[in-house]
């Protein structure tokens, strides 16, 4: 269960251990062996801890990025241009953020027919 909970967006291993300890469920228990009462306890503990998970977390992250873009600060401009935000180099690397290479325009030599 310790690793199964990490598949929920917003819960890492440390939080998963805290949730399972609070719910009183063994870390070694497999997720398919969970009973309904145990899964309900896990849900309640997550709500009590006030963790933002899945959609709520994603919405907050998106709103924070949008706020930076609206402010026009440096980080917001980097987000807007789809460039690395945290100071990485862009001359080489940064392909994940910038997308596939554009390629160079191949200039064809146009022959002029002179008189």
């Amino acid at each position: 269960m310790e690793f199964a909970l990490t598949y929920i967006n917003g819960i890492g291993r440390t939080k998963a251990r805290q949730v399972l300890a609070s719910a009183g469920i063994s870390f070694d228990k497999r997720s398919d062996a969970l009973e309904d009462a145990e899964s309900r306890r896990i849900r309640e503990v997550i709500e009590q801890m006030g963790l933002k998970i899945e959609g709520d977390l994603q919405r907050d992250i998106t709103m924070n990025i949008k706020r930076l873009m609206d402010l026009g600060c440096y980080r917001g401009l980097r987000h807007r241009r789809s460039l690395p935000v945290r100071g990485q180099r862009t001359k080489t690397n940064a392909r994940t953020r910038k997308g596939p290479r554009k390629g160079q325009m191949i200039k064809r030599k146009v022959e002029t027919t002179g008189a």
Side-chain angles (χ1 to χ4, degrees):
M1 275 310 297
E2 178 184 354
F3 291 99
L5 283 179
T6 61
Y7 282 90
I8 299 172
N9 192 7
I11 296 182
R13 282 195 52 198
T14 306
K15 289 288 182 196
R17 283 176 173 241
Q18 291 172 359
V19 167
L20 290 173
S22 299
I25 298 171
S26 172
F27 299 156
D28 301 334
K29 192 161 194 167
R30 296 184 60 89
S31 59
D32 57 347
L34 268 185
E35 296 172 10
D36 291 337
E38 291 173 331
S39 61
R40 198 173 313 113
R41 267 189 290 167
I42 290 173
R43 244 183 260 118
E44 290 170 359
V45 168
I46 290 173
E47 288 175 9
Q48 286 174 357
M49 291 177 86
L51 297 177
K52 287 188 179 178
I53 56 172
E54 296 293 332
D56 295 335
L57 179 65
Q58 204 62 44
R59 193 175 315 107
D60 279 1
I61 292 170
T62 307
M63 291 303 294
N64 288 338
I65 292 172
K66 192 171 185 176
R67 177 180 53 82
L68 289 171
M69 288 165 59
D70 291 342
L71 284 173
C73 63
Y74 182 76
R75 281 174 56 202
L77 295 175
R78 301 298 282 183
H79 275 292
R80 198 177 301 156
R81 294 178 187 162
S82 296
L83 292 170
V85 178
R86 296 184 178 179
Q88 296 92 333
R89 68 180 303 143
T90 56
K91 183 174 181 179
T92 60
N93 304 333
R95 287 275 51 114
T96 303
R97 191 77 175 133
K98 289 167 73 173
R101 287 184 173 83
K102 307 295 191 282
Q104 295 237 333
M105 292 292 293
I106 299 171
K107 295 182 182 177
R108 296 187 178 174
K109 202 176 215 180
V110 180
E111 293 184 23
T112 56
T113 53

